[in-house]
Amino acid sequence: MVDPTLAEMGKNLNEAMKMLEDNQSGQDMVSILQLVQNLMHGEEEEETSQAYRLQNVGEQGHMALLGHSLAAYISVLDRERLRKLTTRILSDTTLWLCRLFRYENGSAYYHEDDREGLLKICRLVIHTRYEDYTIEGFNVLYTKQPVIYISSAARTGLGQALCNQLGLPLSCMCRVPCNTMFGSQHQMDVALLDRVIKDDVESGKLPLLLVANAGTPGAGHTDKLGRLKELCEQYNMWLHVEGVNLATLALGYVSSSVLAATKCDSMTLTLGSWLGLPAVPAVTLYRHEDPSLSLAAGLTSSQPVEKLRALPLWLSLQYLGHDGIVERIKHASQLVSNSLLVEDELSSPVVVFKFFREYSNRVSDCRRSRSVCFFNCALSLQLGEQLAQLVPASGVDVVELEDEGTCVRFSPLMTSAVLGTEIQDVDQLVDCLKMKIPVLTSTLQLREEFEQEVRRTVGLLYIEDLSWPGLGVVRYNYHSDGKNDDKQEKELEKINTELLKKLNELESDLTFSLGPEFGGQKNCVYIGMVTEDLDVSELVETIAATGREIEENSRLLENMTEVVRKGIQEAQLQLQKANEERLLEEGLLRQIPVVGSVLNWFSPFQASPKGRTFNLTAGSLESTESTYVSKAQGTGTTPPPTPTSSLAKQRLPGQKIFKRSLRSSDAFSETSSVSHCDDLEKVDQRPPALFPGQEQGPLETEKAEEQKEVAQATKTDTEDIQSDKLPLGTKLMSFKPFRKK
């Protein structure tokens, strides 16, 4: 077996080599663009490929894309013209950004990876705090170990990436916990940070840099930047700030918590996502007085081509203008404040929510409580995925938070400019959310009842899968009858697969599936979300009855195969015996070829043909003499029709299966059942009707006795139905109405 990845790689390599061999003279522009399009969209259909294309790439996006082409063209200019042009582009862009985001006297570093700016800042601080670092290198770090402090709510893997790029051990990275008692649980604990820094100083370490958040990656919370700046000045540390809330610095009104970021030593801006500009670099603004150290850290470059990174941003900022930039950021902020999702005094541009339902106080099972919490996270995940599908322009996604678990995030500053989100999209998102919440609540409420019903039902096995955001998971247990494990597993898979097919054929609003593609249980039926009017008992009984029917049919087929095989063997023996008897009756002379023909001509032998027919219904061999006499094939014994009951659940017009009917309909069913029994008793006691003056004769007496016996039998059947004394294998769901217990 060849690994699929290696096989795909080999296929692509062969295609590339074939293209080089077949087109050694080069290809035209149309062929190359067609090849790029095929590589982008693959073999998907046209409608599917449209979803993967960039959305809302307006003229400002085209300006950014044009900047990359112009940068390649400008790079071939003579050195002097290139130096003048790149210096102008770099200085203009830096000046505009510093004024736009209220960062005075700052320098700018443009980079593709949004973590690269922080990496260069760390090198700048190392060069600044360790004067001999340029000469002695890492030897100076050994005598006094540097420490970089980051929040526990920072981006995943940020600390490890910095240590790997800087060549520092992981012990140089200190994760600062967030608040646990007071304030936001996503803000850095300043008091604890102060104690940690004091301990590091006393142990001979050097506090180097602090990375704070103006909008954490998950929840969008802002650290207390003012107090953190005071702490950094106290210990001579560098303060670096990043986060989506930095975009609000361009607005006319800025909250005091975010405004404090203008006093930090450096900040990273991701303008591409904020303004909807494709392929523009991120920008790190910083303040430092020594240009030589900035050059040593890689924040500045003497190569003019490196300065051309700012060209796409330079073109886009000029096209949008100050008012256009402010309007885009303001529009994204208003999408949150104008919606009904949240009412936040801090006016955070990020909204994070999750589905949560408190556990009942009357149950004190800790394990059950944890299961409900875990199931809440599964429902939140399902909610986020459905909202993203229903309202793709909203840009909602699913995030994992350390304390809250799975949550749904709405961050228009990161998505609205690219997706073109409008107020009506947010209103549609709120409407979809209001529509989905009752379904989630009903699913959670009925899940425990479904589990209890399944555990009480013979033949069904409840499978606990807390990661499944639905009513539950059930498996029909197959009675092995001493079969080996492999055969039993195949029969189990066959029955549950057929059960799933039968359930999907029912006209219901429920969804039945095999579960998730990865990580799900085998040979199970997964039931999706439900509404509050679900009749759980009817659903469970239907699953059990359908499973029994499939199992019985499977066993009947196996038994019929064995019966047919034995019948064929018996028929062969009987036919062989009949041939021997025929030889004895005809005599020896009739078996001689010539003599037998002459003898049969003079004295024909009359013998009735004796054949055998196999009755599948009775499972026995029968003679064919009646067939030759009547000149027609007999039908044999006809099996009795499947009995149906008049007490089946009555449904209102348009009412689907598994839906609870109104109380009036239930009462009608009970009343009709009782009145039917009363009528049977009256039939039992009432004499047969006679015409006036007519005497009851023998024939009438016999008919009356027959009516009495029929009424008594019907009454007995009805009593058995009401007392649940039905024979084994009878489908209860076809006799009595279902009511929620």
Side-chain angles (χ1 to χ4, degrees), residues 475-476 478 488-496 523:
R475 174 188 296 161
Y476 183 81
Y478 173 71
Q488 181 180 355
E489 186 72 18
K490 292 181 180 179
E491 290 293 335
L492 184 66
E493 180 181 0
K494 180 181 178 182
I495 292 177
N496 283 276
N523 304 329

Side-chain angles (χ1 to χ4, degrees), residues 428-705:
Q428 183 182 0
L429 177 65
V430 176
D431 294 338
C432 292
L433 186 60
K434 293 180 179 179
M435 179 183 62
K436 291 295 181 181
I437 290 300
V439 178
L440 298 177
T441 305
S442 302
T443 302
L444 181 59
Q445 291 176 343
L446 296 177
R447 187 179 176 95
E448 185 174 357
E449 180 181 353
F450 175 76
E451 178 181 354
Q452 295 175 358
E453 287 288 343
V454 171
R455 295 188 185 278
R456 286 197 298 261
T457 304
V458 179
L460 297 183
L461 177 63
Y462 181 80
I463 306 298
E464 186 173 8
D465 189 352
L466 299 177
S467 62
W468 174 248
L471 183 64
V473 186
V474 64
R475 174 188 296 161
Y476 183 81
N477 267 345
Y478 173 71
H479 303 288
S480 61
D481 293 339
K483 297 181 179 179
N484 55 39
D485 295 340
D486 294 339
K487 189 173 183 180
Q488 181 180 355
E489 186 72 18
K490 292 181 180 179
E491 290 293 335
L492 184 66
E493 180 181 0
K494 180 181 178 182
I495 292 177
N496 283 276
T497 302
E498 184 66 21
L499 175 61
L500 176 62
K501 180 180 178 182
K502 293 288 186 182
L503 293 176
N504 283 322
E505 292 175 356
L506 300 176
E507 296 182 358
S508 66
D509 294 332
L510 301 182
T511 57
F512 304 94
S513 65
L514 294 175
E517 183 178 0
F518 303 101
Q521 297 286 338
K522 295 175 59 178
N523 304 329
C524 295
V525 176
Y526 284 73
I527 306 174
M529 294 187 178
V530 297
T531 54
E532 61 180 356
D533 58 349
L534 175 69
D535 195 332
V536 178
S537 60
E538 179 184 3
L539 172 62
V540 174
E541 291 180 1
T542 301
I543 295 175
T546 307
R548 286 194 297 267
E549 180 181 357
I550 296 173
E551 182 182 2
E552 291 173 359
N553 293 337
S554 177
R555 290 187 174 183
L556 178 62
L557 182 60
E558 292 180 358
N559 295 337
M560 184 62 66
T561 303
E562 183 65 21
V563 170
V564 170
R565 186 182 64 81
K566 292 182 178 179
I568 293 175
Q569 294 178 354
E570 183 180 355
Q572 291 176 346
L573 295 177
Q574 292 185 10
L575 291 176
Q576 183 179 0
K577 183 178 180 181
N579 289 332
E580 295 176 354
E581 293 177 354
R582 183 178 61 84
L583 291 176
L584 294 177
E585 292 178 1
E586 293 179 356
L588 181 61
L589 293 178
R590 294 181 184 271
Q591 309 305 321
I592 302 175
V594 178
V595 178
S597 300
V598 176
L599 185 61
N600 287 332
W601 184 75
F602 282 104
S603 177
F605 181 78
Q606 301 293 334
S608 60
K610 295 181 180 180
R612 296 294 183 268
T613 179
F614 186 75
N615 192 333
L616 293 176
T617 304
S620 60
L621 285 173
E622 298 177 357
S623 176
T624 58
E625 294 181 1
S626 59
T627 302
Y628 288 102
V629 172
S630 61
K631 306 297 182 179
Q633 178 71 39
T635 58
T637 305
T638 303
T642 304
T644 58
S645 174
S646 61
L647 298 181
K649 180 174 180 178
Q650 300 181 3
R651 302 187 184 279
L652 299 176
Q655 181 183 0
K656 293 187 177 182
I657 192 173
F658 307 138
K659 297 292 184 181
R660 290 202 311 269
S661 58
L662 299 177
R663 293 184 178 272
S664 58
S665 62
D666 289 342
F668 173 77
S669 300
E670 295 176 358
T671 305
S672 61
S673 177
V674 175
S675 61
H676 180 66
C677 297
D678 295 339
D679 293 341
L680 292 178
E681 294 180 357
K682 292 179 182 179
V683 170
D684 187 14
Q685 299 174 359
R686 185 177 61 245
L690 299 176
F691 292 103
Q694 180 183 359
E695 296 182 359
Q696 184 172 346
L699 181 60
E700 287 78 4
T701 304
E702 182 179 358
K703 291 183 178 180
E705 292 295 333

